[in-house]
Structures are given as C-alpha cells and as structure tokens.
Amino acid sequence: MTHQDLSITAKLINGGVAGLVGVTCVFPMDLAKTRLQNQHGKAMYKGMIDCLMKTARAEGFFGMYRGAAVNLTLVTPEKAIKLAANDFFRQLLVEDGMQRNLKMEMLAGCGAGMCQVVVTCPMEMLKIQLQDAGRLAIHRQGSASAPSTSRSYTTGSASTHRRPSATLIAWELLHTQGLAGLYKGLGATLLRDIPFSIIYFPLFANLNNLGFNELAGKASFAHSFVSGCVAGSVAAVAVTPLDVLKTRIQTLKKGLGEDVYSGITDCARKLWIQEGPSAFMKGAGCRALVIAPLFGIAQGVYFFGIGERILKCFE
C-alpha cells in the first residue's frame, strides 16, 4: 500500500468515525430541527427543548432517535466522501508553498459539496420521513375529526397505518418512482450543501491556521475543535433558509392543510407569502447546535489521526 493510498484510507476511516460519533451525539437536535421546520401555522412546538420534551413524552427516549439508523448507516460514506473530496480538490487546486488562495479553497469546498450529494440526498430524504412521522401522528390526532388528506409516502398504500421504516419507504419510492423518488429535492440539497462547503472549508482552514504551532506542525486539538465548531455554526446558520426549503420539499407526507410544493421557487414563494420571512430561519439555532459539535468532533478525529492509528494495528 503506497503512502498516498494509506493517507486516503486513513481519511476515510477518520471521516467515518467522526460521522458515527457526531450523529450519535446530536441526532435528537436534528430531529427537533426537522419538526420545527415542518410545522405550519399554529405552532405545535415552541422551540427545540419543547419539541424534545414532547417527543420524549409521546414516543419515549428512542423516539428522539427516529431515523438515526439511516444516518448512522450512510453518514460514514457521506462524511468520507466530503472530507476526502475536499482534500483531493485542495491538493489539486492549492499548490504547496502557494499563498493561501481563498478562491481556490472555495472551489475545493464547492467540489466537496457536489460529490457528497450522491449519498446526502437519499439519506436526508429517508431520514426526514422518519423524523417527521411523530409530528404527523400528533397532528392527525389533533385533526381526527376532519377528514385526512394525508397521502402515504407515494401512492396511498397500507404503510400509512404502519410505523414507517427506512427500508419500507425506500422500497416504495423505488417501486413507484424509480431512483428519482430517492433523489427528490436534489436541487435543494445542492443549493444547501455547495454554499455550506464554500463557507465552511475555507473558514475552517483559515481559523485553524491562526493557531498553527511551529513545533507540533499543526494547531492544537482545542484550537481545531473550536475552529470546526465556529466554522460549522457560521456556515449552518448562513444556509438555513435553503435547508428549510429542502426539508419542506423532501417531506412527502403532509398534515391537514399543509402545502405541497412543485419546486424550490414555488416553495419559497408560498413560504414567504403564508408564513413570512422569519419562516426561512426556522430551526437555525438547532442547526447551529447540530453542526457545530458534528464538525468539531470531525476535526478532532482528524487531528488525533484515529484512522492512521487503526491502520497501524493492521500493519
């Protein structure tokens, strides 16, 4: 195995470990974010804490981890692709010894964002249905007297009455809509992930560089962790409006009186008219709280070189 192969494998392991640890830590907040972004009109949840308390009360502790299995399965390839692609593009575009070039770093981030969408889009698609199922169940109880207009995930099959599972939803989507069903909201996902990567990667690289230690040859762990958290929060909050649109577009089952959207512009227009500009920032706090530790942990794993250590054991 060449040194190049070794470093790529180590990067993939680091990305995977970081993803698994991160998702386990922050998944309940991500669930709250999805539910807050999806509530229309009369608010069922006042905020993140309220949402988590009501979820735990109605669905138990593991109710807060609905959809986590999809994430834990797919977050490894997703994070691995994102981190490896960013490194690949950086090496390609930013030459050694060259003055830090913000444009090139942003281009590398853009490439990373485009590559990871292959996994991100279907993963988020399935995760959102599972995360939102509990909110819909409460919504339906609240409007039980009214005739329900809620569809099944695709064509109104019996799955409406079963607790949905990722495999069931994936199979139903593939069966009725083909691969396109799993990639619904691809445009919105790209619109969110590319700007995110363009902001995050250069911001992190430059913040991290401020703490560069000549002796160690890299910044300290604490500095990298904080840099990852800050860069992650800034990027997450900046792209929240696009995340709200993506969540709304990818939610297949709607509660009574909730809108169906034909695309990004239609969704943005209806959101602006019916719920006002503040609706575009729904779940921004949750997003910052989810993304900051996620990327902080990722940078920590990277800097401790966990992948390299694992590979050493197999030498």
Side-chain angles (χ1 to χ4, degrees):
M1 207 186 239
T2 66
H3 176 70
Q4 188 66 19
D5 289 341
L6 194 73
S7 70
I8 288 172
T9 315
K11 272 173 190 159
L12 296 181
I13 295 172
N14 283 336
V17 170
L20 292 172
V21 174
V23 167
T24 311
C25 296
V26 301
F27 195 82
M29 289 185 277
D30 188 61
L31 177 126
K33 179 209 68 127
T34 299
R35 292 191 177 183
L36 289 169
Q37 286 180 344
N38 260 333
Q39 60 180 5
H40 297 214
K42 194 170 132 286
M44 189 186 297
Y45 308 112
K46 292 183 191 77
M48 185 182 79
I49 307 288
D50 182 51
C51 177
L52 290 175
M53 282 169 69
K54 284 180 178 165
T55 303
R57 219 173 291 139
E59 301 162 58
F61 175 76
F62 291 106
M64 295 190 289
Y65 279 89
R66 276 235 196 145
V70 181
N71 251 35
L72 291 169
T73 310
L74 295 176
V75 77
T76 307
E78 186 216 25
K79 280 278 169 289
I81 290 170
K82 184 175 193 149
L83 294 167
N86 183 60
D87 276 342
F88 169 75
F89 286 115
R90 274 176 75 96
Q91 278 162 9
L92 200 70
L93 297 163
V94 184
E95 291 164 28
D96 281 339
M98 197 169 110
Q99 200 57 42
R100 290 197 95 86
N101 184 333
L102 195 63
K103 271 193 198 136
M104 287 305 175
E105 286 182 5
M106 286 181 151
L107 214 56
C110 176
M114 284 176 80
C115 291
Q116 71 162 56
V117 154
V118 179
V119 181
T120 309
C121 194
M123 173 179 87
E124 297 256 326
M125 180 76 190
L126 297 172
K127 181 195 77 170
I128 285 171
Q129 316 315 321
L130 297 167
Q131 287 182 328
D132 206 40
R135 183 190 70 90
L136 280 172
I138 299 167
H139 195 286
R140 223 170 278 132
Q141 283 164 13
S143 53
S145 50
S148 174
T149 56
S150 175
R151 323 171 268 154
S152 160
Y153 287 99
T154 47
T155 50
S157 73
S159 74
T160 344
H161 305 297
R162 269 182 286 168
R163 174 172 279 207
S165 77
T167 3
L168 182 79
I169 300 165
W171 188 86
E172 225 179 286
L173 283 167
L174 285 169
H175 188 64
T176 54
Q177 298 173 26
L179 208 55
L182 281 178
Y183 281 90
K184 187 177 183 200
L186 179 65
T189 309
L190 277 167
L191 264 182
R192 179 198 69 171
D193 286 352
I194 293 174
F196 180 90
S197 297
I198 289 175
I199 297 167
Y200 173 77
F201 284 112
L203 183 58
F204 169 73
N206 289 292
L207 285 174
N208 197 42
N209 220 33
L210 295 174
F212 187 79
N213 183 331
E214 298 280 328
L215 288 169
K218 59 182 178 184
S220 69
F221 165 66
H223 188 87
S224 291
F225 183 82
V226 172
S227 300
C229 287
V230 172
S233 300
V234 171
V237 173
V239 301
T240 296
L242 300 160
D243 189 55
V244 173
L245 296 179
K246 187 192 76 66
T247 302
R248 290 284 178 101
I249 289 166
Q250 286 188 323
T251 303
L252 296 171
K253 286 178 115 177
K254 305 286 185 184
L256 196 70
E258 290 182 353
D259 272 314
V260 177
Y261 309 105
S262 60
I264 299 168
T265 34
D266 178 54
C267 181
R269 194 177 51 82
K270 285 179 178 166
L271 202 62
W272 182 273
I273 294 168
Q274 291 162 13
E275 299 172 55
S278 62
F280 287 94
M281 290 310 282
K282 278 186 178 179
C286 290
R287 249 182 89 65
L289 285 173
V290 166
I291 303 269
L294 217 52
F295 280 87
I297 290 165
Q299 297 308 339
V301 169
Y302 244 50
F303 278 80
F304 278 131
I306 287 174
E308 289 81 350
R309 288 172 197 212
I310 291 173
L311 288 175
K312 272 203 184 106
C313 301
F314 291 102
E315 274 178 7

